[in-house]
Amino acid sequence: MNAKRRPLIAGNWKMHAGGLDGVRLAMAVREFASSVPHVDVLVVPPYTAIAAVAAELEGSSVLVAGQNVHGKPHGAFTGEISGGMLRDCGATWVIVGHSERRQHFRETDADVAIKLAAALDHDLSPIACVGETLEQREAGKTLEVVERQVAAVLDVLASAKRACAVAYEPVWAIGTGKNASPADAEAVHAAIRGWLAAKDTGLAERVRILYGGSVKADNAAGLLAEPNVDGALVGGASLDAGSLGAIAKAAESLARS
Ligand code: PGA
């Protein structure tokens, strides 16, 4: 972490906790959030729970995000959700280009750039996800792949008037229990910071670069201690408020030190 940037700990619930269970989880997150005043805590419920979760979190510091957004503001797109709808439900952030969207729903770099712009048009702060597959890593193509994914969103990020984040999530580390070592994560985060700086040094200083992929209470501190790791995008462990709280507390103690 770096004192210039406030840590951001985001819990991506994926296709879980979409009803009352989501509201209960949000209540538990709200409880620990007051003990981590130097950390931004963000929850990312499925669409069905966003409004109820946002209502539960009203008046607290916990932020709410959507997991995806359509590129168009409205129209005949059955089953899709626009940025305006996310705002109406109380979300102020949104994840774009998560690897599960790229992999299972064939989202391309171009789609991700369109979604990012749509998010900003609706006053949503985006978390743009990037990351290589195991095959790409083993072929030595990690930086090439991530650079291409970052390049696709660079112009949109540079034009943003709102806070933005990039999440580096190696696909092979998501939900697998295998996480990148702090040094491996830092190498990619530093490269991302460099590409942002080549575009605009202010952008590079502002944008928080999160690490994601099997982040748990016991490995968070090591990852967050790296100078270019500004937070975490947590999947599985975020379904347990105790675990997300422990990760946020690791960020809080690093931010205070
Ligand atoms: P995981 O998911 O923590 O379960 O690996 C991270 C993510 O997909 O954002």
Side-chain angles (χ1 to χ4, degrees), residues 12 14 98 169 173-175 213-215 233-236:
N12 175 12
K14 307 193 179 184
H98 189 280
E169 300 202 298
I174 296 179
S214 298
V215 177
L233 182 51
V234 184

Side-chain angles (χ1 to χ4, degrees), residues 172-185:
W172 48 269
I174 296 179
T176 58
K178 293 183 199 151
N179 65 306
S181 68
D184 284 342

Side-chain angles (χ1 to χ4, degrees), residues 33-223:
S34 52
S35 63
V36 290
H38 298 86
V39 177
D40 284 338
V41 177
L42 171 71
V43 292
V44 198
Y47 294 136
T48 52
I50 293 177
V53 163
E56 172 59 38
L57 294 173
E58 214 178 315
S60 78
S61 59
V62 183
L63 303 160
V64 182
Q67 297 179 8
N68 179 32
V69 63
H70 193 266
K72 292 264 166 48
H74 42 71
F77 300 106
T78 303
E80 290 293 323
I81 303 281
S82 71
M85 293 171 184
L86 291 174
R87 283 285 331 187
D88 285 347
C89 290
T92 53
W93 283 73
V94 65
I95 295 176
V96 291
H98 189 280
S99 68
E100 286 153 15
R101 302 290 321 167
R102 294 178 188 258
Q103 196 183 341
H104 304 305
F105 303 95
R106 307 245 176 278
E107 284 185 13
T108 63
D109 287 343
D111 295 328
V112 175
I114 289 169
K115 285 171 183 247
L116 198 80
L120 291 166
D121 281 348
H122 290 99
D123 291 330
L124 291 163
S125 285
I127 300 176
C129 299
V130 298
E132 82 287 1
T133 62
L134 184 58
E135 207 184 4
Q136 291 164 334
R137 171 157 285 250
E138 285 175 345
K141 295 202 161 135
T142 299
L143 291 182
E144 185 188 315
V145 169
V146 175
E147 184 174 15
R148 191 198 67 224
Q149 293 170 332
V150 171
V153 293
L154 211 46
D155 285 346
V156 189
L157 286 177
S159 71
K161 306 273 181 293
R162 295 181 61 85
C164 293
V166 171
Y168 168 57
E169 300 202 298
V171 178
W172 48 269
I174 296 179
T176 58
K178 293 183 199 151
N179 65 306
S181 68
D184 284 342
E186 172 61 18
V188 180
H189 282 233
I192 295 173
R193 186 89 56 207
W195 299 321
L196 296 173
K199 177 83 185 166
D200 173 345
T201 47
L203 179 72
E205 284 189 5
R206 270 190 322 270
V207 168
R208 284 173 285 185
I209 307 176
L210 316 181
Y211 173 78
S214 298
V215 177
K216 308 264 181 289
D218 59 3
N219 60 25
L223 289 157

